[in-house]
Amino acid sequence: MRIGRFRKEDRVFSGIIEGERVFTLTEEDPLARPIERDSLMPEKGSEEFALKELEILPPVLPSKIIAIGLNYREHADEFNKTLPEEPMLFMKPSTAVIGHEEEIVYPAHMSRRVDYEGELAVVISRRAKNVAEEDAHRYILGYTCFNDVTARDLQKKDVQYTRAKGFDTFAPMGPWIETEINPDNVLIETYLNGEKRQCASTSDMIFPVRRLLSFISHVMTLLPGDVIATGTPSGVGKVKPGDVVEVRIEGIGTLVNRVTSC
Ligand code: MG
């Protein structure tokens, strides 16, 4: 099942996508304020639209985004970093979220080096605390494409990641959530201006999704709608205003964002 959020004129709503059609849910927009809920399990309503007549919004508005550093061996190698013994966590603010075809704003007032990082993102379905790895799948609504945009110069300068990863527009995600993929073996590719720059299988992850969800849930409670960005493969590189970044994940689709200077 594909679940997205949409705008048509003044109306914002979540829907289930079937081919080129979008069906409303029984509730108008359950993915907009999921923090107030114990679980997210959308049900199909009766109204329908053509996908092409709708503006695509970020598929969910998370209370937090937990991201993983160095979760692919070759990416660790390209930065000459030793492999972590346990998942390396950092956070991106909810205010960084943008959707498919929204613009990434280059923070030229502070940074001279901004990179794309194509990643598989996990969307949480219900409140998760101290979850065992074998139960992790019960807490996952689905998966989406994610770009962990990073001011690389500030990441090096600050040591910790808050500023480098936290600028507004630095968390593009979408275009929608796919509930059915096998997160342990899908192809993830990133294209810069149409040229392939990253290509890997999620089977190359050091810590698989079930391990990440379990590990994080032993640190902090994951809420419905929260997002885990599972780390980027090798091949990261810089962007400049005017560039177009595409993150394509097998079975999900393609997230497209242009970089702008303001
Ligand atoms: Mg990353």
Side-chain angles (χ1 to χ4, degrees):
M1 184 197 292
R2 282 189 176 164
I3 306 164
R5 287 180 69 247
F6 305 95
R7 179 183 291 125
K8 184 173 170 58
E9 292 150 10
D10 291 341
R11 182 176 171 195
V12 170
F13 60 97
S14 298
I16 291 171
I17 305 149
E18 293 182 359
E20 296 303 310
R21 309 298 297 171
V22 176
F23 295 85
T24 56
L25 304 182
T26 48
E27 293 174 79
E28 186 79 347
D29 194 10
L31 307 187
R33 304 195 67 191
I35 188 171
E36 294 170 353
R37 306 168 65 96
D38 286 328
S39 72
L40 287 178
M41 281 299 157
E43 286 179 48
K44 195 166 157 181
S46 53
E47 235 182 318
E48 74 174 89
F49 296 92
L51 179 58
K52 64 172 187 274
E53 67 181 309
L54 304 176
E55 179 189 346
I56 297 176
L57 300 177
V60 71
L61 300 179
S63 79
K64 57 185 173 293
I65 302 163
I66 310 301
I68 311 299
L70 305 176
N71 199 25
Y72 288 82
R73 204 171 301 274
E74 288 182 9
H75 175 59
D77 290 347
E78 74 184 344
F79 283 94
N80 291 317
K81 302 264 192 179
T82 51
L83 297 181
E85 291 176 1
E86 52 187 9
M88 199 282 273
L89 311 184
F90 62 93
M91 292 177 73
K92 291 173 82 85
S94 58
T95 42
V97 170
I98 58 171
H100 177 60
E101 293 188 336
E102 285 192 78
E103 290 183 326
I104 299 165
V105 179
Y106 197 109
H109 60 295
M110 283 196 183
S111 174
R112 291 285 173 273
R113 170 71 194 240
V114 173
D115 283 11
Y116 59 81
E117 294 189 359
E119 308 195 3
L120 174 73
V122 180
V123 181
I124 299 297
S125 63
R126 56 197 180 100
R127 193 175 285 264
K129 177 71 180 168
N130 296 336
V131 174
E133 277 186 49
E134 56 268 30
D135 293 330
H137 62 281
R138 298 173 51 219
Y139 295 82
I140 295 172
L141 179 63
Y143 304 87
T144 191
C145 308
F146 191 90
N147 187 350
D148 176 19
V149 182
T150 302
R152 194 71 70 200
D153 50 352
L154 302 180
Q155 185 184 28
K156 293 197 175 92
K157 184 177 173 186
D158 292 353
V159 185
Q160 53 77 31
Y161 293 1
T162 308
R163 180 167 61 147
K165 301 280 192 176
F167 285 96
D168 288 357
T169 75
F170 270 27
M173 69 173 77
W176 41 64
I177 297 162
E178 171 58 61
T179 62
E180 302 300 328
I181 66 163
N182 170 12
D184 295 332
N185 189 19
V186 286
L187 188 68
I188 174 163
E189 298 172 312
T190 307
Y191 292 76
L192 181 66
N193 301 323
E195 196 174 293
K196 194 189 293 187
R197 294 299 180 90
Q198 292 187 288
C199 181
S201 167
T202 56
S203 62
D204 295 337
M205 283 183 186
I206 298 168
F207 304 108
V209 165
R210 60 184 176 280
R211 168 94 170 105
L212 297 174
L213 191 154
S214 173
F215 183 83
I216 296 165
S217 78
H218 284 81
V219 178
M220 64 188 85
T221 301
L222 288 164
L223 297 177
D226 281 353
V227 168
I228 303 172
T230 58
T232 199
S234 62
V236 300
K238 67 180 176 182
V239 297
K240 60 182 187 315
D243 285 348
V244 175
V245 184
E246 294 174 51
V247 180
R248 296 184 193 172
I249 301 180
E250 182 185 6
I252 301 177
T254 305
L255 169 68
V256 182
N257 299 95
R258 180 178 293 277
V259 182
T260 182
S261 55
C262 59

